Amino acid sequence: MIQQTDFFFEGGRSGVLLIHGLTGTPMEMRLLGKGLNRAGFTVHGMQLAGHCGNVEDLLATGWRDWYASVEKAADDMLKKVDHLFVGGLSMGALLALKLAADRPQQVAGVGVYGATFRYDGWSIPWAARLSFMLPLLKKLGIGRNFSFMEQPPYGIRDERLRAQVSTAMLSGDSAAAGLPGNPWYSLAEMYHLAAEVRSQLPQVTAPCLVAHASEDDVASLKNAELVMREVSAPAELLLLKDSYHMITIDRERRTLIDRSAAFFDDIAASTGTQRIAA
């Protein structure tokens, strides 16, 4: 059964919609959300369709369902704020970029956290690096019941936090820590999304804060470089040198919070009159 674990923190008239990653949970965005709320932002940590349940719940959905839930959350947020910012982790970063590409008049800025177009980090086994072939296998009906299981260090450099998260994940508590594996068919959907978003990057005109771990174990720095190179917006790169993939909860999360808050504040200050008038 899917558990509802999204969160909402009321703040000012600038709002941030936070999007978790594939097989993840809003909990991975909660510390970032609290920090942004302390900085004065209204924050909604949304929950993607099919997540925080079991594997069958996830397999019943695809990338269009995930994106539809992002659009609905954005519509709800726009009723409450004057400036809408969107931030996503891993696959959530791709969904955030797609929203910015599709809605240039509504999205004021984007937090691109650990963007994952391909799983090509240093901890990814060679077999999993071939996962870009999964859309073909899905089309052929091969491997519906197969998953790539998560591998240490689970995207977390902080050893104490890693132990807590891995224990919760392996216990089956998907609402707290996500699923312990990535179903092949869900990864195939992610690669369809990645191809879509990659083609849309030039349509992103909202300023982007591109934050990435320099030693990301899941998605190499090439993913961040792709965003920096292809978007049509001013883009700022934040390299985090003491974190792995899960930068929203790892050792440098306070740096991420502070830089994100300052980045969004600057945009709101510079475009406030124009956007309120619009």
Side-chain angles (χ1 to χ4, degrees), residues 132-160:
F132 66 90
M133 297 175 61
L134 290 174
L136 174 60
L137 296 181
K138 183 178 181 182
K139 187 175 182 180
L140 296 173
I142 299 170
R144 186 183 190 280
N145 297 320
F146 293 1
S147 293
F148 286 118
M149 299 307 292
E150 293 279 353
Q151 300 287 327
Y154 304 110
I156 302 172
R157 189 162 192 153
D158 185 289
E159 293 180 0
R160 181 183 298 180

Side-chain angles (χ1 to χ4, degrees), residues 90-141:
S90 195
M91 185 188 76
L94 274 57
L95 292 165
L97 287 163
K98 180 165 176 57
L99 188 72
D102 289 346
R103 301 187 178 196
Q105 299 303 315
Q106 294 181 346
V107 176
V110 189
V112 184
Y113 307 132
T116 305
F117 290 86
R118 289 187 67 165
Y119 288 93
D120 58 356
W122 58 263
S123 76
I124 302 297
W126 70 268
R129 287 173 182 261
L130 300 176
S131 59
F132 66 90
M133 297 175 61
L134 290 174
L136 174 60
L137 296 181
K138 183 178 181 182
K139 187 175 182 180
L140 296 173

Side-chain angles (χ1 to χ4, degrees), residues 159-197:
E159 293 180 0
R160 181 183 298 180
L161 180 61
R162 182 194 308 160
Q164 294 172 353
V165 170
S166 62
T167 298
M169 182 171 60
L170 296 173
S171 74
D173 188 357
S174 66
L179 293 172
N182 290 295
W184 280 19
Y185 278 20
S186 297
L187 283 170
E189 288 294 314
M190 198 216 79
Y191 277 108
H192 284 305
L193 170 65
E196 172 90 1
V197 174

